[in-house]
Amino acid sequence: MKTLVVFALVAAASAYSFSGFQRDEPDEVPLAQKQHDISSLLYKVYEPLHDANLKTLVDTFDPEANLSNFPDGGVAVRKLLKELKDHKLEEKQHFFSVFNDTQREQALLLTNVLLQCQDWKTGISYAAYFRQRLNEEEFIYALYAAVRHSPLSRNVVLPPIYEILPHFFTSAEVLQKAYRAKIKATPGKFVTNFTGTPNNPEYRVAYFTEDIGLSTHYFNWHLEYPFWWNDTFGPHIERKGETFFWIHHQLNNRFDAERLSNHLDLVQKLHWDETLHDGFHPHTTYKYGDRFPIRPDDIHIENVDHVAEVHDLVVLENRIRDAIDHGYIINKEGSKVDITNEEGIDILGNIIESSLYSPNVEYYGSLNNLAHVLLGHQGDPHDKYHEAPSVLEHYETATRDPAFYQLHKYIDDLFRKHKDRLPPYNKEELEFRGVAINNINIDGTLETYIEDYEYSLVNAVDDKDEVEDLEISTYIQRLKHKDFSFNIDIINNNDGDVLSTIRIFAWPHRDSNGVIFPFNEGRWRAIELDKFFKTLKPGENHIVRKSVESSVTVPDVPSINTLHDKVEAALTAGSDLHLEQFVSATGLPNRLLIPKGNEAGVELKLVVAVTDGAADAAINDLETFKKFHHYGYKGVYPDKKPHGYPLDRHVPDERIFHDIPNFAETIVKVFNHNEHIRHH
C-alpha cells in the first residue's frame, strides 16, 4: 500500500505532547478584548496586521524569551522556529489542506504552542508573530483549533469561516465583481447563485449542499472532534468515534429527506468498481488564482498517483467488514477487542475515520480520510496538471460535492452492518415504568421557505492605501422554516417526580415511488429533531417544546460586522460581552431542523420516546445546565444512551414499540409554497 498520504497519526502524536492544557486559572483580560484580538488576527489574513496594538506587540516580541514557562520547556516553539529558519514551512500565498500530512503537522505545531500559553498576552503575541510568517490558511486552521480548545479563549466566538475564507464559498464571477467594486471605490452587493443549472438534477438540492451554514456546522464539528486529537493535547473526548458515525449518519438522512422533497431518489452508496455518475464543478478559486478542481460526470474511479490505489481502500474495507463479522478488532498489541457492545460503535468510528484514538491505525488504516483524498483527485488522478486540493479535501467545503454523500452512505453501510449485529432492544430495555405518552402534535404548520442571506466579502478583496474599506457583500438563497412547537402530553403514574429524557425523531414516510418505508427501514433513516431532559411531576404533564430550543441546532454564527459592533460597544462602555449562545457552533443551523417539503406536503413519521432520565444522565443538573447540547460540551457527552437510541438497533417486529406506553408516533406534513430558486 502506498504511504505518502496515509495519515501517519501515531508517529505524529508524540510531537505534540505536553501536559499543561488542563490549567484553567482566572484570567483578567476582558472577554471583549479577547474577542477583539481574535477578530483582528483573522481580519484580512492575507495582508499584514491592521490592528495597531497587535503590530506593536509583534515588533517588540521575542519568541525565544521565557520558554521555561511552557509545559514542554519550549520544545514546540523551538521546533516551529527551526522549521521557519530552515525554510521548511509552507510558503505564503499557497493552498493548505488538513489532509496533507506535512501541512497539517506544521499547523498543529502552532496550535500546540498556543495551547501551552499560560496567559492571554503570551498567547496572542505568539499568534500575531506567526501570523506574519506562516502560510495564511495554515494559520487560520491553527488559530481556529487553538481557540476551540484553549481554556484561555473560552466563550470567544470564532467568526463564520465563510467570511474569513469567502473565496471558498463564493463563485469566481462574484469575486471579480467585488474586485471591480473595490477598484472603483463603489460599494456593492452581488447575487450568488447555486452551482450548475436546472439541467442537472442535483441542482434541485443545491440549496442544501451549498448552504454556508451547513458548511460551518461540518467545519466546526471537525474542529471540536479533530481526527488528530490526542489526549496529550487535553482532556479525553468521550465517544468521539461514535459521534463521527452519528454526524455523518444524520447528514445522509437529512440529505435523503431533501431529495425526497424534490422528487429525487435516495443517495446511492459509492462502489469502488462502478461508475461515479455525478460530477461537480465548484466555480470557486483559491485566493491567489488556483481553481478548485472539476470532476466530470460518469468517471470510473482510478488509482491516484502518490496517494493510494483503489485496491488499498478495498483492503481496508474488507478488514473492517471482517472485524464486524467476527465481533472483535485486533489492537496494535495483537489482542482481540470485543465490539459486540455499546462501545463497539465508538471503536469502529475511530478506526474508520481514522483518528488517533484508533486502536490499530497501521492495520485498519484511514478509510474515510484516504477516500476523501482519492475521490478529490479524480479530476487529475495522475497529476498531469498539478491541481489544487478539491472541495472534498477541506472540511469547509466537503458537503458541497454530491460524492461526499455517496462516500458517507458507503461508510454508513459499514456502521449499519455493525449495529444490525447487536441484539434488538427488548421491552424491559425500552420501557419507562409508570410513564405514558397520551398525545403528540405540532403547534403551528411545518412550513419552509427560501430567503436571501447576505455575507461580507471584505476579506476577499485586497486593501489599497488610497481606497478605504467599502461595504462589499454577496447574498445567497437559503432554506428556513417557520417557528413551530412540539406539544407532548405525558402522564407520570409514579408517586413522585421523575427525570425524563424526551427524544424526538422523524423520517420520510414514503420513498420516491410513494411506497411506505417499513418501520425498520424508516427508523434507520430517522432525523433527530430534539433531545432534552425534563422533570415530570405526578399526574398529567403538558410539555411545549419550541423548535428554536432544539439541542440538535444552533443559531447562525454572528457576522464579522455584528461581532465587531458588539465588541466595540462592550469595550467602549466597559461592559461585559455576552455571546454565550454562539460559542458552540457544532450543531446544525436551527433553520435546517426540518427538510424543505414541497407544495403538496411531504409526509414525515414523527416519533417521540420518553426514557428514564435518571438512568440516562451522565452528569447532574442536566435540566438546568444549558451549556450541554446535542454534541456535548468540551468533550463530555451528557447522555449515556447510544446516539439514536432507541432507534439505533435492528427492529425485527415494530409491535414492540406499539406495546410500550412511553413511545408514540403520528404522521405530519412539511410544506413549501415559495421555492423560487434563482437560476443563472
Side-chain angles (χ1 to χ4, degrees), residues 466-478:
E466 65 274 15
V467 180
E468 293 184 0
D469 257 347
L470 303 167
E471 287 293 331
I472 300 177
S473 63
T474 186
Y475 59 97
I476 190 169
Q477 292 183 304
R478 66 179 193 174

Side-chain angles (χ1 to χ4, degrees), residues 300-319:
H300 185 76
I301 301 173
E302 295 187 50
N303 302 331
V304 175
D305 294 352
H306 311 300
V307 174
E309 296 179 1
V310 173
H311 176 69
D312 297 340
L313 283 91
V314 174
V315 168
L316 296 180
E317 175 194 340
N318 288 337
R319 289 173 180 175

Side-chain angles (χ1 to χ4, degrees), residues 41 45 110 127 130-131 135-143:
L41 286 169
V45 75
L110 177 56
F130 284 109
R131 181 194 187 276
N135 171 276
E136 299 90 346
E137 291 168 18
E138 278 189 2
F139 172 79
I140 291 170
Y141 186 82
L143 183 65

Side-chain angles (χ1 to χ4, degrees), residues 363-587:
Y363 182 69
Y364 294 107
S366 182
L367 180 61
N368 171 79
N369 292 354
L370 197 56
H372 269 260
V373 178
L374 185 134
L375 289 175
H377 280 72
Q378 287 305 304
D380 183 25
H382 306 300
D383 201 29
K384 289 182 179 180
Y385 310 107
H386 196 53
E387 295 269 35
S390 73
V391 296
L392 287 171
E393 293 166 84
H394 298 282
Y395 293 132
E396 302 94 315
T397 55
T399 55
R400 300 167 75 86
D401 189 336
F404 171 87
Y405 301 93
Q406 292 178 261
L407 168 63
H408 284 285
K409 183 65 73 78
Y410 152 79
I411 289 174
D412 198 57
D413 187 59
L414 295 174
F415 286 122
R416 182 171 187 177
K417 181 179 175 66
H418 162 72
K419 282 283 190 177
D420 283 353
R421 283 182 56 82
L422 300 178
Y425 294 115
N426 58 42
K427 187 176 181 181
E428 289 70 29
E429 292 173 308
L430 296 171
E431 263 189 328
F432 185 8
R433 293 190 181 278
V435 173
I437 302 174
N438 263 5
N439 182 55
I440 56 172
N441 62 66
I442 299 292
D443 184 9
T445 303
L446 295 181
E447 183 176 346
T448 69
Y449 57 95
I450 301 294
E451 67 169 12
D452 282 331
Y453 178 73
E454 183 178 354
Y455 64 93
S456 173
L457 296 180
V458 68
N459 284 322
V461 294
D462 297 326
D463 268 355
K464 293 185 179 295
D465 292 338
E466 65 274 15
V467 180
E468 293 184 0
D469 257 347
L470 303 167
E471 287 293 331
I472 300 177
S473 63
T474 186
Y475 59 97
I476 190 169
Q477 292 183 304
R478 66 179 193 174
L479 186 67
K480 196 170 185 177
H481 63 78
K482 293 182 177 179
D483 289 340
F484 65 90
S485 298
F486 299 104
N487 290 325
I488 309 169
D489 293 315
I490 304 172
I491 292 183
N492 173 17
N493 291 316
N494 294 287
D495 293 334
D497 292 351
V498 294
L499 181 65
S500 69
T501 315
I502 299 177
R503 307 168 188 271
I504 307 175
F505 302 88
W507 64 78
H509 189 47
R510 301 174 187 272
D511 67 15
S512 57
N513 294 314
V515 178
I516 295 174
F517 283 114
F519 188 93
N520 189 53
E521 284 303 308
R523 62 94 200 168
W524 185 252
R525 303 182 189 282
I527 296 167
E528 187 172 24
L529 297 178
D530 203 354
K531 174 169 58 182
F532 59 99
F533 294 83
K534 187 72 175 178
T535 297
L536 304 176
K537 67 181 191 307
E540 296 182 359
N541 294 261
H542 178 66
I543 296 169
V544 178
R545 179 72 167 183
K546 297 178 180 178
S547 56
V548 295
E549 297 174 316
S550 171
S551 64
V552 175
T553 65
V554 295
D556 286 325
V557 180
S559 68
I560 54 175
N561 289 333
T562 299
L563 285 174
H564 175 271
D565 292 346
K566 288 181 178 293
V567 165
E568 294 310 307
L571 288 174
T572 301
S575 58
D576 292 336
L577 179 66
H578 292 289
L579 297 171
E580 291 85 356
Q581 63 177 314
F582 306 112
V583 169
S584 175
T586 53

